[in-house]
Amino acid sequence: MNPHNRPIFCLGPTPAWQRAMIFDTLTLDQVNRAAFVVEAASGKSINAARVLRTLGCAVRVGGFLGGPAGRCIAEQLTELAIDNRCLNVAAATRTCVSVIDRAASTATELVEESSPLDDSDYTRLYDELPQSLRGCGIALLTGSLPPGAPVDFYARCTAIAHEQGIACVIDAHGQPLRQCLPLKPFLVKPNQSELAETVGRSLSDQQSVAEAMKQLAAAGPKWVLTTLGAEGALLTDGASTWHAAAPRVPLVSAIGSGDSLAAGLCAALAAGQSPPQALAQAIACGAANAMRAGAGFLSGQDVRVLLPQIRIGLLD
């Protein structure tokens, strides 16, 4: 659907500077000394962009950056050869902390909420988005919205992308996702709990998830992909549903695995694969991310080793 050399645009309004502290073992209410620390630009769109660069794709990133953390992120995007189209804003970009306990194989996220943005910041992004998108083949819209953000933020960005003939992959949930559905985006990607929130009911097994996905597909998008954690993912076009099982890997941290999965999917779509074919690389990237500390720091070699292990079959 898109030549591989056309940039993939990753848009997210809530980036973060991420500090991952890795402990051999963690004891609550005690002094704990980290074995090592990883600091990096993060947030869902930037995690995905880093994976796309690892996979050899040209990438642009859009969103909002401000304050010292925003400057650090901008510097790292330059180092990664990621085309930075983020707007400089007065609101300071947040800093978040991940605490990883290697003995217990647990990862705890300490998330700072994003600062509210001015209405003029959103207007400026909408005005500049057509130029930022020019020449791209796919737009990945991903991440939570800042407090007070317009609920139709992703819908407006999707409409702008569609005006330029750019396919949208949307990783959102709830009302921001529902606003996008009538625009018929190419693919939407909520996880199981986000899908439950979006359709307004509990989803307890794969069959109920598949039914909810088809309900979502009937509302507009061509494809719906729902991640199931350790159980892999389901993909539907509203008629048929595919299941991809996740391979067993040595778990370090699953933080960023959903973003890595979205990046692997977009890279495969950009290379001309159909969504069912692209699902294999998506699952491999999500699993490869879980093998390493830091979100979106997967190894291309791990992806290549895992890819032949992915089995995809029709659920119905």
Side-chain angles (χ1 to χ4, degrees), residues 3-315:
H4 195 54
N5 60 352
R6 293 178 67 187
I8 296 172
F9 189 79
C10 298
L11 173 64
T14 51
W17 184 254
Q18 191 82 19
R19 182 176 175 85
M21 304 184 70
I22 296 88
F23 298 85
D24 291 328
T25 185
L26 186 70
T27 305
L28 296 180
D29 293 326
Q30 299 291 328
V31 174
N32 293 269
R33 301 187 185 278
F36 63 97
V37 174
V38 177
E39 289 190 310
S42 191
K44 294 178 72 65
S45 59
I46 294 176
N47 296 339
R50 184 164 41 240
V51 171
L52 286 164
R53 287 298 299 137
T54 300
L55 297 175
C57 299
V59 192
R60 293 179 192 165
V61 166
F64 307 98
L65 296 175
R71 288 192 290 274
C72 290
I73 291 172
E75 291 172 2
Q76 194 164 99
L77 292 176
T78 299
E79 292 170 2
L80 294 170
I82 292 173
D83 186 355
N84 178 16
R85 302 298 179 95
C86 294
L87 302 182
N88 292 319
V89 296
T93 299
R94 60 187 176 151
T95 297
C96 299
V97 178
S98 300
V99 180
I100 297 171
D101 182 345
R102 293 196 288 195
S105 295
T106 61
T108 302
E109 289 193 82
L110 308 178
V111 177
E112 177 185 342
E113 183 59 276
S114 295
S115 299
L117 298 167
D118 292 335
D119 290 344
S120 61
D121 295 329
Y122 295 104
T123 300
R124 193 153 54 102
L125 185 140
Y126 300 143
D127 289 343
E128 296 189 16
L129 192 54
Q131 178 61 37
S132 297
L133 285 166
R134 191 154 294 141
C136 293
I138 296 173
L140 171 60
L141 314 182
T142 180
S144 58
L145 300 184
V151 72
D152 66 345
F153 174 77
Y154 281 134
R156 292 193 61 172
C157 294
T158 299
I160 292 169
H162 283 180
E163 288 173 359
Q164 299 198 32
I166 297 172
C168 289
V169 173
I170 303 173
D171 187 350
H173 62 280
Q175 188 62 10
L177 176 57
R178 287 194 292 270
Q179 293 269 339
C180 297
L181 301 180
L183 298 172
K184 299 183 178 180
F186 182 75
L187 186 145
V188 299
K189 193 201 82 63
N191 63 32
Q192 184 171 342
S193 62
E194 291 168 344
L195 177 64
E197 177 187 344
T198 303
V199 300
R201 64 179 184 273
S202 175
L203 304 174
S204 57
D205 54 28
Q206 285 190 14
Q207 191 58 45
S208 63
V209 171
E211 291 170 359
M213 292 170 65
K214 289 183 177 180
Q215 176 186 335
L216 221 59
K222 294 181 180 178
W223 295 89
V224 179
L225 191 161
T226 298
T227 53
L228 308 172
E231 294 184 28
L234 295 176
L235 173 74
T236 189
D237 60 0
S240 300
T241 301
W242 291 261
H243 174 251
R248 300 295 181 185
V249 298
L251 176 65
V252 175
S253 170
I255 297 172
S257 286
D259 310 328
S260 300
L261 185 148
L265 177 84
C266 288
L269 293 173
Q273 295 185 20
S274 69
Q277 292 170 327
L279 186 56
Q281 179 166 279
I283 293 293
C285 287
N289 177 83
M291 297 168 64
R292 294 174 178 264
F297 283 91
L298 56 75
S299 158
Q301 176 61 24
D302 288 341
V303 174
R304 289 187 289 273
V305 169
L306 291 169
L307 196 53
Q309 303 177 32
I310 312 300
R311 295 291 178 266
I312 298 173
L314 281 169
L315 191 66

